[in-house]
Amino acid sequence: MAETLESVPPAAPEPGGSLPRAARLPVWRRATTGPASIGLAIGAASIGLALAYLLKEPCATNGWANNFQYRHLCYNDIQPLFYVRGIFKGQIPYKDVFVEYPVLIGSFMYVTGRLLALLVTLHLAGSYRDPQYFNLTALLLAPCSLIVTFLLRPRVSRGRLLLWAIGTPTILYSFLNWDLLAVVALVAGIVLAEKRRWLWAGVALGLGASAKLYPGFLLPCVVLGAWSLKDKRGAVRSVLGFGAAAVVANVPWMVAAWKGWMGIWKFQAGRYPDYGTTWYWLAHIINTYHYAAFWSTNIGGWGSFIGDAGGLAFGVLTLLILYSGWRRRDEDGEYPMLPIGLAIMATFLFVSKVNSPQYAIWVLPLLTLVDIPWWEVGLYLFGDVVLFVSGFYWFTDANFPGPSGWSSLFEYSVFFRAAILAVIALTAVGTGRRLLPASEPAVDPSRPSGRSGAGGEAGGAGAAPAQPGMGRHPVGAGAGRPEREPETEPEAEPELTSP
């Protein structure tokens, strides 16, 4: 299938001599629904990365005494883990020192440290300390965000591209942890799957899952996407690609440091629900009114129960979501890979007993690709920002981890974010569709100068052409409605950090 937008001849006037609906859209809507230019993409991505770095830079140029890192919202995992995970000593991850992250991130952490040591030896870096390590890490991670921007650019509208490039998750979390490594693999897997390059889509998702587990959540969607097109060989190839990438990334570490490699998964399985989850606050509320050791106990208590129950709930809900997508395949023309993938990811963030701030950057690319209404996106981002700020300021409170005004705001934000994630998941699984950018309205030479005649939404001649069997619609067709039903006018639309 063709992935690029094509120019289309001007549309004929609608009955009564009126212009097609897309040409009648407000200027601001037309300005945000078409594809972004390369210049806009580069400029927006550069601004987003600059803001992301400037937010964290105070922590690289000042000491962390008196909760400086929390009061200035510049905390990042990169600097403390330079020491805690033995990078400054050149210790090999998993073998010489415990590392809680999957192998591609652990390897990246180690290689970046060795590169900094080399630069210091060559007198190309000032010193071998955490500020220099942070700066080098940020420099190496920045291209990941740029690549994501360029992969998304021809596939989303200007407004949705800006959601990624300068959205609050990109600014707040790009350099908080190493999650951009997984994000770029996820988006590459999505692009390759849409191009029907099933083997390489599986490889990209397998590499992503070897950095952070969540890109693997999209593999069943890709398999069912190929299967719905009666490409059983493609479905098998995607699984083989995923398996091959996971084997190549993980087996060397499994052989060299089996105990350390297993430690990743034992650590995650054995954790008590953290502050960013509803499960922590539910236990806290119950324990306040009816004290029992069970609610504050990890192994053998609430922690173990939620770990098992949450995992079971996620598995069951994922199967139901996948089945719901399969039932939609005839309506949509194929399996709705991306809406179902978004629903699964939002469900995971809802039920997981581990939730770190940077997880918001996981769902951001999918929010640009699926027609989730802007009000849902806006509420999710609002709740996430409030959670980010209140969480770090709670850490500065002398009464931490006791109650305070910041802890109350943080608690309410946790439940608010969970509710919006549930709404996003329901929207994606129910009516979510792949969102394409609208073509720019062309000038109709039969009309007076200055009036457009090209349609910019589904059904209009100027719409970005939907691919056969894709069930997609361009921006402006109306959230949640297939392109064959364009009758309605479009509406405007701590541990706080953990792996």
Side-chain angles (χ1 to χ4, degrees):
M1 80 177 176
E3 286 294 321
T4 56
L5 298 174
E6 299 175 359
S7 58
V8 184
E14 291 182 347
S18 61
L19 291 172
R21 280 185 300 277
R24 301 199 308 267
L25 287 174
V27 173
W28 71 269
R29 287 281 289 153
R30 294 201 302 271
T32 58
T33 55
S37 66
I38 293 178
L40 177 61
I42 294 174
S46 300
I47 291 172
L49 287 170
L51 292 174
Y53 178 78
L54 290 174
L55 177 67
K56 303 301 182 185
E57 188 270 344
C59 277
T61 55
N62 294 275
W64 286 24
N66 301 316
N67 292 316
F68 179 93
Q69 69 275 29
Y70 302 134
R71 289 187 290 109
H72 291 79
L73 303 177
C74 62
Y75 173 86
N76 62 86
D77 290 331
I78 298 168
Q79 289 179 254
L81 292 185
F82 176 73
Y83 301 107
V84 176
R85 297 300 173 240
I87 299 168
F88 78 111
K89 294 181 179 179
Q91 292 180 310
I92 298 174
Y94 315 111
K95 183 178 180 181
D96 298 334
V97 63
F98 166 74
V99 175
E100 62 267 55
Y101 303 116
V103 296
L104 286 191
I105 285 184
S107 301
F108 183 90
M109 294 165 63
Y110 173 76
V111 170
T112 304
R114 296 296 83 210
L115 177 59
L116 178 60
L118 175 61
L119 293 175
V120 170
T121 301
L122 297 175
H123 304 288
L124 297 175
S127 62
Y128 189 61
R129 298 180 62 82
D130 61 282
Q132 289 72 32
Y133 181 72
F134 170 80
N135 288 333
L136 181 58
T137 299
L139 181 65
L140 296 176
L141 289 176
C144 294
S145 184
L146 290 170
I147 291 170
V148 169
T149 301
F150 282 109
L151 290 174
L152 292 176
R153 186 191 69 82
R155 295 171 173 82
V156 301
S157 67
R158 292 188 194 95
R160 297 279 172 159
L161 184 69
L162 293 177
L163 175 62
W164 163 259
I166 57 174
T168 51
T170 299
I171 295 170
L172 297 178
Y173 309 126
S174 286
F175 304 133
L176 190 150
N177 199 281
W178 292 268
D179 288 62
L180 279 176
L181 295 173
V183 173
V184 70
L186 170 74
V187 175
I190 289 171
V191 171
L192 290 165
E194 289 199 333
K195 290 183 174 182
R196 306 296 186 256
R197 298 175 66 178
W198 305 112
L199 175 66
W200 291 107
V203 169
L205 294 177
L207 291 174
S210 299
K212 286 288 179 88
L213 189 60
Y214 77 92
F217 298 161
L218 261 72
L219 178 64
C221 305
V222 171
V223 172
L224 292 174
W227 199 278
S228 70
L229 296 172
K230 304 188 186 306
D231 187 356
K232 296 181 180 179
R233 183 180 179 186
V236 172
R237 285 166 66 86
S238 65
V239 174
L240 292 177
F242 183 93
V247 165
V248 169
N250 286 270
V251 167
W253 287 111
M254 294 168 68
V255 172
W258 171 257
K259 185 177 179 180
W261 183 86
M262 282 297 297
I264 304 168
W265 317 110
K266 290 181 179 179
F267 171 77
Q268 302 298 343
R271 295 175 68 174
Y272 187 80
D274 62 36
Y275 297 133
T277 67
T278 56
W279 309 123
Y280 173 86
W281 292 104
L282 285 172
H284 176 76
I285 293 169
I286 295 171
N287 213 22
T288 299
Y289 294 99
H290 182 70
Y291 175 79
F294 172 84
W295 300 110
S296 57
T297 302
N298 190 13
I299 305 301
W302 177 245
S304 296
F305 172 77
I306 283 300
D308 296 337
L312 178 62
F314 177 63
V316 171
L317 290 172
T318 296
L319 291 175
L320 291 174
I321 292 169
L322 290 169
Y323 176 67
S324 176
W326 187 253
R327 293 187 62 183
R328 283 178 50 185
R329 70 191 188 281
D330 292 333
E331 174 190 353
D332 291 354
E334 69 163 344
Y335 191 82
M337 292 185 295
L338 300 189
I340 296 302
L342 173 58
I344 291 173
M345 200 169 296
T347 299
F348 174 78
L349 296 181
F350 180 86
V351 305
S352 175
K353 70 173 184 175
V354 178
N355 205 309
S356 293
Q358 72 269 16
Y359 289 4
I361 209 171
W362 295 6
V363 298
L364 196 59
L366 288 168
L367 289 176
T368 71
L369 290 160
V370 180
D371 63 342
I372 301 300
W374 275 108
W375 70 266
E376 293 182 24
V377 176
L379 286 178
Y380 174 69
L381 297 182
F382 170 77
D384 180 69
V385 170
V386 174
L387 194 71
F388 175 82
V389 174
S390 61
F392 282 136
Y393 273 96
W394 179 31
F395 288 179
T396 69
D397 195 287
N399 197 38
F400 176 81
S404 70
W406 287 115
S407 70
S408 297
L409 180 59
F410 183 81
E411 177 184 351
Y412 299 147
S413 300
V414 169
F415 284 102
F416 179 83
R417 182 185 61 179
I420 297 301
L421 282 169
V423 171
I424 289 174
L426 290 172
T427 300
V429 77
T431 60
R433 285 178 172 78
R434 174 70 168 88
L435 191 62
L436 292 172
S439 295
E440 298 293 343
V443 176
D444 185 349
S446 67
R447 291 186 168 274
S449 175
R451 300 189 67 184
S452 300
E457 66 180 88
Q467 305 303 332
M470 292 302 291
R472 305 174 175 187
H473 65 79
V475 175
R481 290 185 289 276
E483 56 184 358
R484 58 177 177 274
E485 299 176 1
E487 299 303 323
T488 306
E489 283 285 342
E491 298 180 358
E493 322 214 76
E495 178 179 6
L496 195 59
T497 58
S498 55

